[in-house]
């Protein structure tokens, strides 16, 4: 549902696509530019703690902009609202902390929501 609305050059976290596809596409674009006597400039960005900085409001706004059914939007709101985490070190467990940003790591939705967030389309932030 979301995959066909994302930038076609998004290769990570999508079924049938991989970083290998991304590298091949990038190399193809570079070689094509060089063959056409154009210059190639590249910037690589590593988003530190990327999943910890996913803004729930922006993700919901982007899902709405993608025209997803309201049931999916409401389900995502429910999934993200009052998401909690705690830390366990040995036998010691911390108190629960309610998260207002970030995505549960190890979930299928985490990477999908992150690539939705960084998609090339612009979104305004709306509070829910």
């Amino acid at each position: 549902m979301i995959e066909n609305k994302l930038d076609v050059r998004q290769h990570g976290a999508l079924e049938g696509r991989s970083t290998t596809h991304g590298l091949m596409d990038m190399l193809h674009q570079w070689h094509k530019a060089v063959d056409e006597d154009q210059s190639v400039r590249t910037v690589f960005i590593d988003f530190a703690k990327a999943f910890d900085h996913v803004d729930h409001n922006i993700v919901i706004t982007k899902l709405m902009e993608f025209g997803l059914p309201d049931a999916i939007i409401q389900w995502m709101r429910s999934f993200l609202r009052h998401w909690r985490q705690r830390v366990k070190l040995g036998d010691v467990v911390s108190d629960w902390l309610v998260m207002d940003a970030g995505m549960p790591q190890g979930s299928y939705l985490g990477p999908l929501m992150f690539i939705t967030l960084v998609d090339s389309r612009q979104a305004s932030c709306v509070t829910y």
Side-chain angles (χ1 to χ4, degrees):
M1 214 178 263
I2 291 175
E3 290 88 350
N4 62 349
K5 298 178 187 284
L6 295 169
D7 188 313
V8 296
R9 291 205 171 115
Q10 172 59 48
H11 297 286
L14 296 174
E15 186 175 341
R17 300 188 201 175
S18 69
T19 53
T20 302
H21 292 104
L23 290 170
M24 290 173 56
D25 181 47
M26 183 175 57
L27 286 170
H28 172 74
Q29 296 300 323
W30 289 353
H31 285 117
K32 181 180 173 190
V34 170
D35 288 345
E36 296 172 356
D37 291 325
Q38 297 175 347
S39 62
V40 175
R41 294 181 183 101
T42 305
V43 176
F44 293 96
I45 300 172
D46 179 13
F47 292 102
K49 303 252 180 207
F51 284 66
D52 295 341
H53 295 97
V54 172
D55 184 303
H56 298 166
N57 292 321
I58 295 174
V59 168
I60 294 296
T61 299
K62 284 214 170 195
L63 295 175
M64 291 168 54
E65 288 175 354
F66 284 165
L68 294 179
D70 191 53
I72 300 290
I73 303 296
Q74 295 304 323
W75 182 79
M76 281 304 300
R77 278 188 182 134
S78 177
F79 176 72
L80 295 173
R81 184 178 294 134
H82 305 298
W83 174 62
R84 304 178 317 150
Q85 75 175 24
R86 65 182 178 177
V87 177
K88 180 178 181 184
L89 183 59
D91 293 333
V92 179
V93 179
S94 71
D95 292 334
W96 286 103
L97 177 65
V98 175
M99 307 302 292
D100 58 2
M103 291 300 294
Q105 296 186 25
S107 71
Y108 173 76
L109 288 176
L112 187 59
M113 290 304 99
F114 180 74
I115 62 174
T116 300
L117 180 68
V118 299
D119 187 64
S120 61
R121 303 164 210 242
Q122 295 297 325
S124 56
C125 182
V126 179
T127 303
Y128 298 96

